[in-house]
Amino acid sequence: MAINEQLRGGNVLPSRILYTMIRVSDLDRSVAFYRDLLGMRELRRETFTEGRFTLVFMGYEEVSPHAWIELTYNWDQDSYELGTGYGHVALEVDDIYAAFERLEQAGVSVVLRPGPMTIAPDETGHREVIAFIEDPDGYKIELIQAAVH
């Protein structure tokens, strides 16, 4: 038995992704973006008056195995610099071209228009159809065409 299997069996290793936290400069604007333009729901809100911050958990489903995005709004912080280590959040869409057109018409910042990747992984040779947009704080969001089964 591999060490990871032994550890996981004893509940020593993590077993799922809960959420990704991003800091936002305008909570209402960010909630509206993820809700109205990306179709997520506000699943939970936690206000920490003493700590002067609010957390809003956005997602598509309330329970595991679905991961959420935590929008963290620090009341006294006006803006943030995006770190070079952060990549992006990836979201699956059934019709990337229609979704992209709707987002573009809504004024969402476009980074990369939809199309097949220029390269493919050696293992499959499949070139995913992707696009990139930015949320109101400049975080990159990758849209990936759902696989046809």
Side-chain angles (χ1 to χ4, degrees), residues 5-6 14 43 78 145:
E5 291 174 17
Q6 291 173 337
L43 301 173
D78 292 334
Q145 175 67 48

Side-chain angles (χ1 to χ4, degrees), residues 92-104:
E92 180 180 80
V93 295
D94 289 331
D95 183 340
I96 195 167
Y97 295 100
F100 188 85
E101 183 178 330
R102 185 181 63 80
L103 292 167
E104 189 173 37

